[in-house]
């Protein structure tokens, strides 16, 4: 299934955009997702690669995400399973002012790993982003040792770029340039 975008009336300060794939719905993360966001970032296996958030830190981060949606027209999304209605992860395009770059990022509950959700969601947001934003490339900042995320990035066509440090951790910044972005008909790769 090709990713589609539906727009619903926005409630609160979140955007009404919903990106839909074969198995997933991606909606902008908002303050209503606080408990989910804190829980997602509390699993020690998940937080080997992404930061933990106290409820207070999560309130601040979710406010930043809502501002980004309002000001830039993109941001991080809550990822919902269409089959169960459960929130299973987060994925989206995040602008990092420190780098002046837009990063495609993904984080999923441990019990959802290995099912292709990260690739499906990330492919949809990258396709959506190149269709909506005036960006020459997107990055994926991957903490050293996160082999699963490297595989997701490679599936999407990202290539290794520079080495950097982010949030105190060494990362490899993978890059996907607009000119290299493909939206073909491979199984599991929706055309965008």
């Amino acid at each position: 299934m090709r990713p589609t975008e539906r727009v619903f009336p926005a409630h609160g300060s979140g955007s009404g955009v919903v990106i839909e794939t074969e198995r997933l719905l991606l909606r902008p993360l908002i303050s209503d997702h606080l408990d989910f966001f804190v829980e997602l970032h509390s699993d020690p296996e998940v937080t080997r690669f992404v930061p933990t958030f106290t409820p207070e830190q999560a309130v601040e981060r979710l406010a930043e995400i809502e501002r980004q949606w309002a000001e830039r027209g993109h941001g991080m999304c809550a990822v919902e399973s269409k089959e169960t209605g459960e929130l299973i992860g987060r994925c989206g395009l995040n602008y990092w002012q420190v780098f002046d770059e837009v990063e495609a990022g993904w984080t999923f509950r441990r019990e959802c790993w290995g099912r292709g959700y990260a690739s499906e969601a990330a492919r949809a947001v990258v396709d959506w982003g190149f269709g909506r934003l005036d960006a020459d490339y997107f990055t994926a900042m991957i903490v050293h040792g996160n082999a699963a995320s490297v595989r997701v990035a490679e599936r999407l066509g990202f290539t290794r770029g520079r080495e950097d440090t982010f949030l105190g951790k060494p990362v490899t910044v993978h890059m996907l340039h607009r000119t290299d972005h493909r939206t073909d008909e491979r199984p599991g790769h929706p055309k965008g």
Side-chain angles (χ1 to χ4, degrees):
M1 173 182 182
R2 163 187 192 153
T4 58
E5 175 187 344
R6 297 184 286 164
V7 179
F8 297 95
H11 94 68
S13 59
S15 168
V17 170
V18 176
I19 300 170
E20 181 176 7
T21 69
E22 183 178 344
R23 301 180 295 167
L24 307 170
L25 294 173
L26 290 80
R27 292 181 171 78
L29 271 168
I30 58 173
S31 58
D32 290 352
H33 296 122
L34 177 65
D35 291 340
F36 163 71
F37 193 80
V38 171
E39 182 268 326
L40 176 66
H41 290 89
S42 66
D43 181 321
E45 284 299 305
V46 172
T47 59
R48 289 183 321 158
F49 306 116
V50 297
T52 59
F53 287 89
T54 66
E56 296 77 21
Q57 291 168 327
V59 165
E60 185 177 312
R61 180 66 181 123
L62 289 169
E64 290 171 14
I65 291 168
E66 286 185 274
R67 272 193 301 278
Q68 192 166 124
W69 273 104
E71 295 170 5
R72 299 185 64 85
H74 66 84
M76 296 304 296
C77 295
V79 180
E80 175 186 329
S81 164
K82 287 167 65 173
E83 180 181 354
T84 66
E86 178 184 22
L87 294 178
I88 61 171
R90 66 165 177 83
C91 184
L93 298 173
N94 192 79
Y95 175 73
W96 294 110
Q97 187 172 4
V98 66
F99 300 111
D100 192 27
E101 294 173 327
V102 177
E103 178 198 22
W106 50 87
T107 301
F108 283 80
R109 290 182 175 191
R110 183 183 351 174
E111 61 268 21
C112 297
W113 293 356
R115 298 182 187 179
Y117 293 133
S119 294
E120 184 174 332
R123 181 172 287 121
V125 299
V126 165
D127 289 351
W128 181 86
F130 277 129
R132 290 301 207 107
L133 307 179
D134 184 25
D136 292 330
Y137 65 92
F138 295 128
T139 65
M141 291 186 282
I142 301 176
V143 173
H144 293 180
N146 189 347
S149 278
V150 170
R151 287 191 298 274
V152 170
E154 289 172 346
R155 280 187 204 109
L156 299 176
F158 283 79
T159 57
R160 289 176 62 95
R162 70 182 185 275
E163 294 297 316
D164 216 318
T165 301
F166 185 63
L167 299 175
K169 294 187 175 188
V171 296
T172 301
V173 180
H174 295 74
M175 303 180 87
L176 177 60
H177 292 269
R178 180 180 294 275
T179 54
D180 298 327
H181 176 243
R182 296 178 5 166
T183 55
D184 59 23
E185 293 289 341
R186 290 190 319 258
H189 189 159
K191 185 173 183 175

